[in-house]
Amino acid sequence: AAQQEDLLSARRSLAEVIAAMDKTMTTQFEEAFAAINAHFATCFARLFGGGVARLLLADPKDVLGSGVDITVQPPGKKMQHLALLSGGERALTVIALLFAVLLYKPSPFCVLDEIDAALDEANVDRFAQFLGELAGSTQFIVITHRKGTMEAANVLHGVTMEESGVSRLLSVKMEEERPKEAVL
């Protein structure tokens, strides 16, 4: 009986700890979600040149188990789910979400592999400009073939193949003076 009571007491104690942790995690998640949602709306509008975007919990009653839905309204279009956008619009929306997370909690460095591939030239320019602004708090390593993104960089590393099967690395430091926040 004493061992059974010890087990039941331990079970109650664990349940209380789990409930307290769930409450803390829910509070922290809700605060982070609200902040990232606000940054997402701002980043989306900047990258699209207007429009509205928001993150919604699929099940607001189960914050920790819920999925996240993304709804957006690019300029001149109706509000729609992410899946209904064109490839370029989806890419730019996901870039806005990535930038929103980086604005909430900057990372020391970030590797972006052809993230701008589906963007048109006007969007590449807005992306590169915004990337330059974020470079003050995060170092970006960007793999790209887009001229607009390369023009925003302060160092370029390229790989070329002069002979079949022999690669050569080229590095170029951009010498022109740029404000610190515009350096990638």
Side-chain angles (χ1 to χ4, degrees):
Q3 289 177 348
Q4 183 179 8
E5 183 54 39
D6 284 347
L7 287 174
L8 291 173
S9 175
R11 182 178 180 183
R12 285 190 298 271
S13 178
L14 283 174
E16 289 171 7
V17 169
I18 290 170
M21 286 177 61
D22 280 350
K23 184 177 180 182
T24 301
M25 289 188 316
T26 299
T27 301
Q28 289 177 350
F29 179 85
E30 288 173 339
E31 290 170 2
F33 187 79
I36 291 170
N37 200 5
H39 287 307
F40 178 53
T42 303
C43 292
F44 182 89
R46 289 228 12 235
L47 289 171
F48 274 85
V52 178
R54 65 177 161 252
L55 303 172
L56 302 167
L57 291 175
D59 183 4
K61 294 177 184 175
D62 181 17
V63 173
L64 298 179
S66 177
V68 176
D69 288 327
I70 299 173
T71 57
V72 296
Q73 183 177 7
K77 295 189 175 184
K78 64 180 183 166
M79 184 69 77
Q80 52 195 326
H81 191 272
L82 180 65
L84 300 175
L85 297 175
S86 71
E89 290 171 330
R90 272 194 306 252
L92 203 56
T93 300
V94 172
I95 291 168
L97 182 57
L98 170 68
F99 286 174
V101 171
L102 288 174
L103 285 170
Y104 173 71
K105 190 151 183 106
S107 173
F109 71 94
C110 185
V111 178
L112 304 174
D113 187 2
E114 296 194 34
I115 195 170
D116 57 355
L119 304 180
D120 61 19
E121 289 304 316
N123 288 327
V124 167
D125 291 341
R126 284 198 294 267
F127 159 74
Q129 180 182 5
F130 204 155
L131 191 65
E133 293 171 19
L134 291 176
S137 59
T138 300
Q139 180 178 6
F140 290 94
I141 299 170
V142 183
I143 299 161
T144 187
H145 293 106
R146 304 303 297 264
K147 181 180 175 187
T149 304
M150 287 187 245
E151 288 174 346
N154 65 340
V155 177
L156 295 175
H157 298 285
V159 178
T160 183
M161 190 176 295
E162 293 177 357
E163 301 174 32
S164 181
V166 179
S167 297
R168 182 172 170 227
L169 179 66
L170 302 171
S171 296
V172 178
K173 281 191 176 182
M174 307 305 272
E175 295 296 326
E176 102 184 72
E177 278 294 315
R178 295 186 192 158
K180 184 178 181 179
E181 63 273 356
V183 176
L184 297 179

